[in-house]
């Protein structure tokens, strides 16, 4: 089964440019760690300082636990902590933003 998780984060004031530069150059080791942890797709949209993520993953909680101490993710999260308004604890206990409605055409 594939889970689709929506997340919301917020940038610190003035961090937009550095955040976009960082995401234009995601380290290959981090991409590999995400894939190994079951991430199939991760998309991020930005509106001002608000970030909206849509994550397609095999098991969200397992992914969060797998990445919690992964060296490439630890380095990435340290960098992101300088840009994001709230730090992420990687507990895996969250379920993201609750879905309210969906229009889906099934084949």
């Amino acid at each position: 089964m594939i889970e689709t998780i929506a997340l919301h984060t917020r940038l610190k004031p003035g961090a937009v440019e550095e955040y976009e530069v960082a995401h234009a150059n995601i380290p290959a080791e981090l991409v590999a760690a995400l894939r190994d942890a079951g991430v199939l797709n991760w998309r991020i949209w930005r509106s001002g300082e608000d970030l909206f993520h849509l994550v397609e993953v095999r098991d969200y909680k397992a992914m969060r636990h797998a990445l919690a101490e992964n060296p490439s993710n630890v380095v990435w999260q340290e960098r992101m902590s300088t840009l994001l308004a709230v730090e992420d604890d990687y507990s895996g206990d969250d379920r993201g933003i609750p879905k309210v409605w969906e229009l889906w055409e099934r084949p």
Side-chain angles (χ1 to χ4, degrees), residues 4-48:
T4 301
I5 306 294
L7 304 169
H8 172 245
T9 54
R10 180 169 288 131
L11 293 169
K12 292 178 180 176
V16 168
E17 186 176 338
E18 187 176 346
Y19 183 85
E20 290 189 357
V21 167
H23 282 79
N25 300 292
I26 304 284
E29 313 83 52
L30 180 58
V31 171
L34 290 165
R35 295 282 184 218
D36 289 346
V39 175
L40 304 171
N41 195 9
W42 193 314
R43 293 174 277 176
I44 304 171
W45 290 264
R46 184 181 61 77
S47 177

Side-chain angles (χ1 to χ4, degrees), residues 44-59:
I44 304 171
W45 290 264
R46 184 181 61 77
S47 177
E49 294 171 345
D50 289 298
L51 302 167
F52 302 92
H53 310 246
L54 194 60
V55 184
E56 294 171 277
V57 60
R58 296 192 192 286
D59 181 332

